[in-house]
Amino acid sequence: MSSLTTVRAGLLGLGMTVALMSAAAASTYDLTVDRVEIDTGDFTRSGIGYNGSSPGPILRFKEGEKVTINVTNNLDEPTSVHWHGLILPFQQDGVPGISFDGIAPGETFTYSFPIVQSGTYWFHSHTGFQEPDGAYGAIIIEPEGREPFRYDRDYAVQLTDAHAHSGARIMRNLKMSPDYYNRQQRTFMDFIRDAGREGIGEALADRQAWGDMRMMPTDIEDVQGYTPLINGKGPAENWTGLFEPGERVRLRLINSSAMAYYDVRIPGMKMTVVQADGNNVQPVTVDELRIAVAETYDVIVHPKEDRAYSILAESVGRTAMARGTLAPRKGMDGELPELRDPPLLTMADMMMDHEGHGDMAMPSSEEESHKMPDGTTMDGASHEGMDHSNHAGMADNQQDPFYAPGSGLLPQAFNEGKFLSYSDLKAQDPLYEDREATREIEVRLTGNMERYIWSINGQKYEEADPIRLQYGERVRFKFVNETMMAHPMHLHGMWSILDAGNGRWDPIKHVINVNPGTTVYMETEVDAPGQWAFHCHLSYHAEAGMFRKVVVEGGPSEQSARLSTGAEE
């Protein structure tokens, strides 16, 4: 099928969808944005929530209906609501400065859009640090037809990383000292142990290498010291979902954290992954999975015994663990193990120990330590001439951004059971035809940890021109992560087809995780006219500059665009 035919088919599909939805039921929802008190069990602080609580209510939609959502701002500052992962007209996307002006204090803004998908999603503020301060909630969309898997019970399991400090204060502290929240800094006794194991010369050389990069092997998480929550409850409060032995239970895992990645497992029970980012995938059974910030995974579990099972979500840096329980009766506790040993980054993770690059010279001055090939800055060694495509992953995971070049970021359960890999994800029914991209756009993820500056292609958001796409084209994005941190990249308004090495069965997602030193590809069918946000979903990275505006030019006629918003003729 030619690209012109594809565009025409897309326009015809849009018209048919609008016609069907005109006859569909419309639903109205009301949300208030409020100051709330957040009690984690470890601390209590003022935050922001919806309808008087954090997290907000679960919004339940039906595929094919048109929804109207009245959002009233009870704060003394502007706010917004972004419907994360939903395909809708750009004016309804809820990003101040890109899709609308925001919601002023005391005002009500009415969102109105058709529901053209199903699955598990979430909503959150896109204003300042309101999301890490508690402004988030879950979305569950019931499909029009039958789902290709069965279950008896259904629970949202929404994870977040609640901190005693406000988001604004955390950002100030990170700008003042990027290691402000690093509670695992290496000590002299660590050096003595390393010297005994590796020899004093090797230990000294390793310390010098990290010192030259102005980093340490524990620089895996920007922010520590938080309490991980499940559905607003801390580990001691023990959120519980009930089941009858023998039932199949659907868990809708949502990572609404500001910064925390989690490794999720249920000791004594396997999980069958059936959806990724709201889209059906061919079932894959695992013992553990890693969920990046802003991702969602739906899993089916089958508890057969009359006992409690713990839902454990351990931070990737092993500094905190969310805990919930599946149980046949209230008040039961499952197994609660200790945190596993924290991982340490290696020079291989930092692209310093690869074949052909093991003898790379360390920078000899502060200026050189920040210099990138394009003249931008980043702590670390010179990357001049490095082919990042050779460092996309380990042997069987070349396109898998969860498998970093070195050992530090490998899942610790990898040799203890089946750990979900991006390459395991295969679409149940491909949404788009398998066709060649019309062009490739390189997106280099750049930054300077020492000064806590994050950027794309060496430019912060306010310095950069928008990325311009043409309606109807298929664009291949090449993510090259030149930093020492993982980045969950989120393109609003359009699906991201992750190149997981599965050809036409590659999964459709709304967040693509990119690990340090890896090169990852995704493709996008440019089928949504308007202006969209494109950013790292780590709250403080986005605020520091790892953010872009995407402008889609051309597209349906003005009349079709007006119909797609649900507006009257």
Side-chain angles (χ1 to χ4, degrees), residues 13 15 43 60 102 191 207 243 257 282-283 306 321 351 354 370 375 397 417 422 470 514 547:
F43 62 84
R60 297 181 182 273
F191 172 74
R207 285 297 174 98
F243 70 87
S257 296
Q282 297 177 31
D306 185 42
M321 183 160 60
M351 301 176 292
H354 296 293
H370 293 161
N397 298 289
Y422 265 3
Q470 296 298 315
V514 189
F547 196 111

Side-chain angles (χ1 to χ4, degrees), residues 546-564:
M546 194 172 278
F547 196 111
R548 278 291 186 277
K549 178 195 288 188
V550 169
V551 177
V552 176
E553 299 171 336
S557 67
E558 183 179 347
Q559 179 182 18
S560 295
R562 187 165 62 249
L563 282 171
S564 71

Side-chain angles (χ1 to χ4, degrees), residues 470-498:
Q470 296 298 315
Y471 184 88
E473 68 175 336
R474 182 168 182 145
V475 175
R476 184 169 175 85
F477 288 96
K478 178 183 180 181
F479 293 110
V480 181
N481 190 351
E482 298 179 354
T483 80
M484 70 297 291
M485 306 299 294
H487 302 289
M489 300 303 296
H490 174 43
L491 173 61
H492 289 217
M494 291 166 278
W495 289 116
S496 299
I497 308 169
L498 170 66

Side-chain angles (χ1 to χ4, degrees), residues 37-91:
E37 185 177 88
I38 297 175
D39 184 356
T40 69
D42 291 331
F43 62 84
T44 301
R45 77 168 181 88
S46 174
I48 297 175
Y50 297 108
N51 291 3
S53 67
S54 174
I58 297 177
L59 298 180
R60 297 181 182 273
F61 304 147
K62 293 183 179 180
E63 184 179 9
E65 72 174 341
K66 176 186 172 185
V67 299
T68 297
I69 308 169
N70 302 308
V71 179
T72 300
N73 184 4
N74 291 331
L75 307 178
D76 57 2
E77 61 187 71
T79 192
S80 59
V81 181
H82 165 58
W83 317 100
H84 182 102
L86 267 61
I87 303 301
L88 37 62
F90 84 93
Q91 301 93 333

